[in-house]
Structure formats: structure tokens, C-alpha cells
Amino acid sequence: MLFSIVFLSILSIIYGKNENQQIINIHINEELPLSTILFITTNNITYRLLDSGRNQNSFVYYNISNGHISLLHSLDREYLCLEHICSCKKCQLIIELIEWQIPYRLLKLILNVDDINDHIPKFPFDNYHLNIIENVPIGFELSIESAYDSDLGENSRIHYELKNHNDGPFELITKINGGLALKVIKEIDREKQDSYQYELIAFDHGKPKKQSSTKLFIQVNDTNDNPVLLSKTYIQLHISENTPVGTELTYINATDNDIGLNGKIHYSISNGFPSSSWRDYFRIGNSTGILILINPLDYESEQSYRLIIQVRDRGENSLACFVTIDISIIDENDNFPQAFVTFVNPLINNSIISIVENTSIGEILAHISISDQDSGLNGKISYKIEQGEDLIGIKIHDEKSFLLIINRLIDREDENIKLNKFILIIFDYGKPSKFIRLEYEINIIDLNDSPPKFNSSINCNLHLNLLQNRSLDQPLFQIQAIDLDLDDNGLISYSILPPFENSFIINNQGEVFYFDNFNESSYHLQIMAIDHGKPIRLNSTYNCHLFTSKNHILEYLNKSTSLINTIKIFQYNYLYLFIIFLIFIFLLIIYCSYKLIFNRKKYFKQNKTYHLYVSIPRKSTYINNESLSTNSQISDNQSDEHERLVQLNNDKNSLLDHQQRSSIVQNNSPSSISSIIISRKSPHELINQSKQNSRPVSLSISTTTTCTSTGTDLSCKLNNSNSTVVRLAEEEHIDI
């Protein structure tokens, strides 16, 4: 039954779609029964009601299990208008929902509440008692308070009918401003008839029509009083809502030509609209006719009032006149804008927005509904992002709502991104403008998107000397890896990969130990660092090389390893390598040019001193001269030896060094050896000196060698001065 009522009440549904919003217009009648199903959402999509701040979502209930949107509170169009929940001319309730799943699209239901004729016209009083003086002029109008209908449109337009007035002196007239009066069309004679009684009927133009009635009792007085004269029977006022209390709003100008009580005028407010509030704001002086404001006005509570002022004199059987005052309230910018925010994910401490890093661009963070109870420019609202627009942007839906969306991809580990606040300013166009400030902190939720990274400066290419005693508690080396993620995503564990996982062990600090004998000369270890992230754990590996040896001669290997590490430092510096290469090419060109230009024959002379070592027997001081001469003689064989040694010096194709020459002499004279130092003295002087000393003589032979260099060949020529010395020595019988 309820389901059928829905489709009877929904007159038209218009779909409006865009990428992130779906608009549906629904026409329903007011006064539908509670729990009436207004709309059914898609079965496979879950929605959530938003807080629009207009108290409109509170009229419906959303059932998550079946997707039904049902009526939760009664919809009385007149009440909604009176409370300013919707416009009195076109009552619309906006129900806003959001898809509670990616991509978080909006669903906007516009409930157009159509009026039904559910109110009857009402008179202020069930009975009216009126007084009129006989002999009043024809055309005189006796004012009557009109009826009021709370419906709208044709349902509120009232038509009046006066019963039992045939052949009577009165005619019912309706004024342009809505006033009602009895117009005298015949002379009134009290002696003929002193009272009249009528039934006044008011009915609207609704379908079906509704009506009400009141009784009119008119008493004809025989006193010849003058009626009260009014300068105006209709007054229209426009006053600001900021008008101070006690302000005199208007003055009723009335006169009476009588004297005494018959000439004293009394003023009162006989009726007013809206009936629930006018008494709280207005009061009129009984004798002055001055209308005074007694409480502050509020445009947002009520925009207009109608007052019916009764004016009559204080005499007996006085005639009453009525003045209608329409008061329009002028809005002032006395209200701040309002914002009602619904976040997709709940805030932390009502102030922190949580955003998962690497969230897609365009993802919805929140829906914001804004309003301002002021009117005109005072109620026109705009907004701007003061801080955080690099991350969060705005997507407009209509004048009163928009979305906060992700504006860029976020990498929490990027040190160049500093996102910690989002500030939104909402302001109106009043003078002066009023604004509100929404400020939130931003918390980026970490994802496990950064694998562990090893410290590349760690040297784990090592040579182990097994002759040294090593403690099993002492680590071989230590590595280190870091992970920029947070919490478990950044917690690292280490492990050694096969095939050496049983020979080495690594702890959580990255220290590597061995607990087995080294059976290999080298080990290639692969060490893995893995984080504790969820749902996926990320890892990376690092290579280490260990070499084993029993001596210390492999220091060169360590130096090579150090060189390799040095090369690793520069292996990525391609620019430096390219510069070094250019310098090397430049030096090579210079060297080749030098060899090409200066590679020719050079001739030079070189003075060299050669040392001959011969054995000259030392003469005893106790031997006579004859024996000395005998022993001093050099045998022929020895002479031949000396000449042969001297000829070695004259060899043109060889230059013997000092040690070679000493060696030759020593091999031929193994006895006690004295050196003959080749000096610059003449041969004769040396021989004479030898005779005088009768002991081994040191001869210094000066030779001049001329060498000619032709590429790699070297040819030398020596003079014959040394042979001359030998001959002189033989002639003098000196042992050499």
C-alpha cells in the first residue's frame, strides 16, 4: 500500500547526471503518511546521508539493507514555509546522499512538496459586534477584519459571501489590499430597524473548496455622534531588522469633531499576521496612535507582518474604523555564513584530515554545504582556499554546495613536499563582509611503497686470515639498510640467501657472524633486507665477497678491494671520467710531438774514471837492494797479464763498470791486493815515486773516451795513454 502511494505521489522524476553527481527531481504532495517510500537506490551501491545544515535530510530515513529512502517526518507545506525551511512560493527539500564507495559520487534528491488544500479560511472571531449611527451618509464603509488561509496559490485565495442581506442597507465589498468592509447603500433609520444580523462566509478556490463563516451583529445607535475620520486606511512600512527597540515606527492620524469622551480617540491592534509572533514586536499607544517596536526584529525569523489597527472614540456606541499596516523587514548583514561538512573518512579529534598517500587525483574528501540566512548580497556566499590548495581542490556542484577533492599525488617520503594544513575561507558579499574560517591539519597515512635501501658506503668485500684467532661472538662485518616508511612499513629484518644461509648468520642489527668452518676460498654472500609492511613486504639485496687465506701476503687483495671501492665511488661520475680521458689524450699528443721533433742523433763526450786493481807485492824493509831488484822484476808472464788487462780498457765495443773491472783483476791476482788509482799525474812521476817508496804504487790513469750515440747503439773510442804507463812500468821494473 505504501509503495503504491509513492508512485501516486511522484508526479515526475527528472535525472540529471554528470561525472560525480546525479540529480533527481521528485514531486510529492504534502501530508503523506509516515514511512512512505520516496525513492529506491541501486541495490549494489551503498549511500550515506550528508549533513546539509538545512534540516532537510532529517525528514527522511535511508535503509542501508534495501536502499529505501522513506519519509521520517510529516511534510506540512505551511509549516515548512512558516519555519523558513523552504520557500513559500516553491517549497523544495534537498536530500543529499553520497556513494559510500569509490568514486564517492553524489546523489541529490530534490523533493518538490506540492500544496494540497488542507486549510480552511479562518476569521479572527466567531462573532463580530458592530455599531453604526443612524443617518450616516450613503457610501459610508464599516470595516470588518478579513479571513486568512494558510494554503498557497489558488488554495489560499478567498472569496466572501454575505447571506441574508437582501433588501438590506449594506453591501459587502473587498478592497485591493485585502481589506473587507460593509458599505452603506441605503439610509439607515433606527425607528424602522435598530439591528441587523448577517452570516459572512469565506471560501477558498481549492479543489475541493473549503469554507468557514462568522456572525455579524450590527447595532444602530440613535446618538448623532460624528464618526472618526482617518487620513489613511492603509500604511506600508519598510524597516531594518537592526532598528533599535523603542523606535516609533508610524503614527495613525485620526480626528473626531465631538467633544468630551465622544471626541477622545482610542487606538488598539485588533489583529495581526502572523498571529503567533506579532504581539512580541509591536505595540501602539492607546491615546497617541504611535506604533512602537518593543523587541529586536530578525529578518531570518520573519520577513513581514500585517497589523489591523482599530480606531474609535471613547463615547458610548462609538463607531470603529480600521487601518491596515503592512510591515516589510529589511535584511541586514548580521549573520555569518554557515558551513556543514561531511567527510568521507572521519576526522581525527575533529580537526585532522587523514589522507592515504598516492590517493588518486580527483578522489572526494568531503562534501560541504554552505548557507547564509541573510538576503541579497548579504546572503550571497563565496569561498577560497587560503592554504593547502596544492593538495586539496574544490569541485563546484551548485551555489550552495561543493566538494573537496585530491588535487595531486602525494608521496609521503618526498622531503620537498610540506603539507600540514588546509585552510578554507567562506565569506559573504555584505558590507562589511562576514566570513568563517575552516582550518584542518593534514595527516598523510603511510603506504608500504619504499623498499629498504642499503648503505652503499659499507665495505663488505673482505679478506679473512684464518691464522688469526677469531671469536664467534665477534661479527665479521656489519651492514645497514634504511626504510623511509613508517611503523611496520619501515621495520627491517635481515637474512642471508642460499647457498650460505647455514654457514653464516645475521642479526637484526645487520651484524654477520660465522659458525661453521671455512671450507671455501671465497664466499659470495647475498644479504636480503625485508620490511614488515602489510599487505606486501618489500625487500632488496646486497652482495658481499669474503676471501679466506692463511698468510698475510694478500694485502694486495685488500688494496685492490680498496681500489675497487674507490672506482665504485666514481663509477657514476661520468663527467669526471670524461674530463680525465680528455686530459690523458692531451698529454699523449704532447708526448708524441716531443718524440717526433727531438728524436735525432746526439753526440757527446764523457770523461770516465776507471779503477784498476792489481797486486804489487809489498817489499820487506829487511831485504837488501839486490833481492829487492830481483823480487821487483816482473816476469814475462805477469807482463803479459798486465798488457792484457790494459788492452781491456782499450776495447772499443765495451764499457765495463767499476765492479766488472775489479772482478777481472781479482781473478788474476788473488794475492794481497792494492788498488792502483788512475790519477792525473804523468806516468814518469808515478814510476819514480814507486821506486822511492819501494811499495805498491797507486796509478791514476786518465782516459778520454769519445762516444757516439746513434739511436740505441753506442760506440766508444779510448786513447792509448794507459798502455804507455804499462810500458814505462816494465822498463823500470816495477811490480804492477
Side-chain angles (χ1 to χ4, degrees):
M1 180 64 181
L2 293 179
F3 190 74
S4 62
I5 294 177
V6 175
F7 290 96
L8 291 176
S9 61
I10 299 178
L11 302 179
S12 67
I13 300 179
I14 303 173
Y15 291 88
K17 280 189 176 182
N18 58 35
E19 182 181 354
N20 291 311
Q21 185 179 22
Q22 182 181 14
I23 301 176
I24 300 175
N25 283 281
I26 303 174
H27 286 267
I28 60 174
N29 290 331
E30 62 174 332
E31 303 296 348
L32 287 177
L34 299 182
S35 301
T36 299
I37 300 174
L38 303 177
F39 186 75
I40 301 176
T41 61
T42 307
N43 292 332
N44 58 351
I45 299 178
T46 301
Y47 291 87
R48 175 179 171 181
L49 287 172
L50 297 177
D51 182 8
S52 65
R54 293 186 283 266
N55 296 324
Q56 298 179 355
N57 283 356
S58 61
F59 287 94
V60 300
Y61 168 74
Y62 174 65
N63 191 329
I64 298 178
S65 60
N66 54 25
H68 290 181
I69 298 177
S70 305
L71 190 62
L72 185 61
H73 297 289
S74 176
L75 297 180
D76 184 356
R77 195 177 192 275
E78 291 72 36
Y79 171 80
L80 299 176
C81 168
L82 184 64
E83 296 296 326
H84 306 292
I85 297 175
C86 69
S87 172
C88 295
K89 295 182 179 180
K90 186 177 182 180
C91 185
Q92 290 183 332
L93 299 180
I94 299 176
I95 309 301
E96 293 171 309
L97 301 95
I98 185 171
E99 291 184 9
W100 210 238
Q101 59 192 39
I102 297 175
Y104 301 108
R105 292 182 303 178
L106 291 179
L107 173 62
K108 181 180 288 188
L109 300 179
I110 300 179
L111 301 182
N112 296 274
V113 183
D114 296 330
D115 183 51
I116 62 174
N117 193 20
D118 57 340
H119 291 83
I120 63 174
K122 290 184 178 181
F123 287 100
F125 306 100
D126 294 335
N127 298 297
Y128 284 89
H129 293 273
L130 305 175
N131 296 315
I132 192 170
I133 303 172
E134 63 176 339
N135 298 325
V136 294
I138 295 175
F140 178 82
E141 295 179 358
L142 184 61
S143 298
I144 304 173
E145 294 185 49
S146 58
Y148 177 78
D149 195 323
S150 298
D151 291 322
L152 299 175
E154 290 296 311
N155 295 331
S156 66
R157 193 159 64 90
I158 303 174
H159 182 72
Y160 299 93
E161 182 178 341
L162 189 62
K163 285 188 176 182
N164 304 324
H165 73 289
N166 294 334
D167 298 329
F170 301 103
E171 179 185 23
L172 185 65
I173 62 173
T174 303
K175 298 182 180 181
I176 297 176
N177 60 7
L180 189 65
L182 291 175
K183 183 178 181 181
V184 177
I185 59 176
K186 293 180 180 180
E187 291 184 358
I188 300 176
D189 187 357
R190 181 177 177 277
E191 284 73 20
K192 291 182 179 180
Q193 186 173 351
D194 60 357
S195 65
Y196 298 88
Q197 181 175 344
Y198 301 102
E199 182 180 5
L200 182 60
I201 301 174
F203 56 89
D204 58 33
H205 287 251
K207 295 181 180 180
K209 294 181 179 181
K210 291 183 177 294
Q211 68 180 32
S212 64
S213 63
T214 185
K215 299 293 185 179
L216 298 180
F217 297 97
I218 304 173
Q219 182 68 40
V220 180
N221 299 321
D222 62 352
T223 56
N224 193 14
D225 289 351
N226 293 312
V228 176
L229 300 178
L230 298 174
S231 60
K232 293 181 179 179
T233 60
Y234 178 76
I235 300 174
Q236 187 173 13
L237 301 177
H238 298 275
I239 60 176
S240 170
E241 63 175 329
N242 291 339
T243 301
V245 174
T247 300
E248 297 179 357
L249 303 178
T250 188
Y251 167 71
I252 307 299
N253 186 12
T255 59
D256 193 322
N257 294 327
D258 293 328
I259 60 174
L261 291 178
N262 293 334
K264 291 185 178 180
I265 302 174
H266 179 269
Y267 303 89
S268 64
I269 302 176
S270 63
N271 199 5
F273 302 98
S275 58
S276 60
S277 60
W278 68 265
R279 291 181 177 87
D280 297 330
Y281 297 98
F282 306 101
R283 182 175 298 166
I284 192 168
N286 293 337
S287 59
T288 62
I290 298 175
L291 186 65
I292 300 174
L293 183 67
I294 60 174
N295 277 312
L297 295 170
D298 185 8
Y299 173 87
E300 291 69 39
S301 297
E302 199 65 53
Q303 289 83 41
S304 63
Y305 297 89
R306 168 169 285 191
L307 303 177
I308 306 299
I309 310 299
Q310 184 185 77
V311 183
R312 64 192 309 166
D313 60 37
R314 294 180 181 272
E316 187 178 356
N317 301 322
S318 63
L319 297 177
C321 299
F322 296 92
V323 177
T324 301
I325 301 177
D326 282 334
I327 302 173
S328 298
I329 309 303
I330 299 175
D331 181 43
E332 301 290 345
N333 192 25
D334 59 340
N335 289 279
F336 287 87
Q338 292 179 308
F340 301 88
V341 187
T342 302
F343 282 93
V344 173
N345 296 314
L347 295 180
I348 300 176
N349 297 329
N350 295 323
S351 62
I352 302 176
I353 303 174
S354 297
I355 302 176
V356 179
E357 68 171 325
N358 298 328
T359 300
S360 301
I361 296 177
E363 195 75 18
I364 297 176
L365 291 177
H367 173 273
I368 298 182
S369 177
I370 57 177
S371 64
D372 194 319
Q373 296 181 359
D374 294 322
S375 63
L377 292 178
N378 296 331
K380 186 179 180 181
I381 311 173
S382 187
Y383 38 82
K384 64 179 180 180
I385 298 177
E386 185 177 276
Q387 183 175 340
E389 61 184 351
D390 291 340
L391 171 61
I392 300 176
I394 290 177
K395 185 168 186 179
I396 301 173
H397 276 167
D398 53 42
E399 294 181 355
K400 296 296 184 180
S401 65
F402 56 90
L403 298 175
L404 297 182
I405 62 173
I406 295 296
N407 218 19
R408 60 168 292 177
L409 288 176
I410 309 168
D411 183 5
R412 193 200 62 83
E413 291 74 31
D414 189 352
E415 296 180 354
N416 296 324
I417 299 179
K418 295 182 179 180
L419 303 171
N420 53 7
K421 274 191 178 182
F422 174 73
I423 300 176
L424 178 67
I425 306 297
I426 302 174
F427 57 94
D428 61 29
Y429 286 88
K431 293 183 179 180
S433 176
K434 293 185 180 294
F435 66 91
I436 59 173
R437 178 187 180 98
L438 302 180
E439 184 172 341
Y440 302 94
E441 294 183 12
I442 297 177
N443 176 40
I444 305 301
I445 299 176
D446 181 50
L447 288 181
N448 191 25
D449 58 346
S450 295
K453 293 183 179 180
F454 284 92
N455 187 351
S456 59
S457 64
I458 295 176
N459 178 22
C460 63
N461 298 321
L462 305 174
H463 171 72
L464 302 178
N465 186 1
L466 301 184
L467 295 180
Q468 295 179 352
N469 293 326
R470 301 183 64 91
S471 172
L472 295 179
D473 296 333
Q474 180 182 3
L476 300 175
F477 59 89
Q478 184 178 9
I479 62 171
Q480 183 183 13
I482 59 174
D483 194 320
L484 298 178
D485 292 321
L486 296 177
D487 302 327
D488 288 344
N489 295 335
L491 184 62
I492 300 176
S493 296
Y494 300 95
S495 62
I496 297 177
L497 300 179
F500 300 114
E501 73 277 11
N502 295 326
S503 300
F504 297 87
I505 189 172
I506 186 171
N507 59 21
N508 290 333
Q509 286 71 42
E511 296 176 337
V512 178
F513 302 84
Y514 75 96
F515 57 94
D516 196 1
N517 294 327
F518 289 101
N519 298 322
E520 304 289 339
S521 60
S522 65
Y523 295 87
H524 177 202
L525 299 183
Q526 280 190 308
I527 300 176
M528 182 177 71
I530 185 170
D531 61 32
H532 291 237
K534 295 179 181 179
I536 299 175
R537 301 179 66 179
L538 303 180
N539 65 80
S540 59
T541 58
Y542 196 73
N543 295 322
C544 294
H545 294 82
L546 302 181
F547 303 92
T548 59
S549 175
K550 296 184 179 181
N551 52 48
H552 299 282
I553 65 175
L554 293 180
E555 293 180 359
Y556 174 77
L557 180 59
N558 292 334
K559 294 180 179 180
S560 300
T561 302
S562 176
L563 179 60
I564 292 173
N565 293 333
T566 303
I567 294 175
K568 285 182 179 179
I569 296 175
F570 294 97
Q571 65 182 351
Y572 298 106
N573 299 331
Y574 300 109
L575 180 61
Y576 297 119
L577 293 177
F578 180 72
I579 294 175
I580 293 173
F581 176 77
L582 291 179
I583 294 174
F584 174 78
I585 295 298
F586 179 75
L587 295 177
L588 183 61
I589 292 173
I590 293 177
Y591 176 76
C592 292
S593 300
Y594 174 84
K595 294 295 292 182
L596 181 64
I597 296 174
F598 296 100
N599 188 15
R600 66 175 182 267
K601 293 183 180 181
K602 294 182 180 180
Y603 298 92
F604 60 91
K605 291 184 179 182
Q606 182 176 2
N607 292 330
K608 295 186 178 180
T609 301
Y610 300 92
H611 298 277
L612 297 179
Y613 298 91
V614 296
S615 176
I616 300 177
R618 182 177 297 275
K619 303 295 195 261
S620 173
T621 57
Y622 301 100
I623 300 175
N624 56 23
N625 292 333
E626 291 181 353
S627 63
L628 175 62
S629 62
T630 302
N631 294 328
S632 301
Q633 294 179 355
I634 303 174
S635 66
D636 293 336
N637 293 330
Q638 291 175 333
S639 176
D640 293 336
E641 289 293 331
H642 289 300
E643 289 180 357
R644 187 176 66 80
L645 293 172
V646 172
Q647 289 300 323
L648 291 175
N649 272 332
N650 296 326
D651 193 349
K652 298 178 182 180
N653 298 321
S654 63
L655 293 175
L656 300 176
D657 58 13
H658 176 71
Q659 292 180 353
Q660 288 175 332
R661 293 182 184 277
S662 300
S663 169
I664 294 173
V665 175
Q666 290 173 0
N667 290 335
N668 290 276
S669 301
S671 59
S672 60
I673 298 174
S674 299
S675 66
I676 300 176
I677 301 174
I678 302 175
S679 68
R680 295 187 180 274
K681 292 182 181 183
S682 67
H684 296 281
E685 291 176 352
L686 292 172
I687 293 172
N688 292 332
Q689 184 178 357
S690 173
K691 289 181 179 182
Q692 294 174 3
N693 296 333
S694 297
R695 60 182 180 181
V697 180
S698 173
L699 297 181
S700 174
I701 301 175
S702 175
T703 64
T704 302
T705 303
T706 302
C707 297
T708 303
S709 175
T710 59
T712 59
D713 296 333
L714 180 67
S715 60
C716 300
K717 182 177 181 182
L718 291 88
N719 59 16
N720 295 325
S721 61
N722 51 359
S723 61
T724 303
V725 174
V726 172
R727 287 196 302 272
L728 291 174
E730 290 178 350
E731 292 174 0
E732 296 297 330
H733 304 285
I734 299 173
D735 293 333
I736 300 177

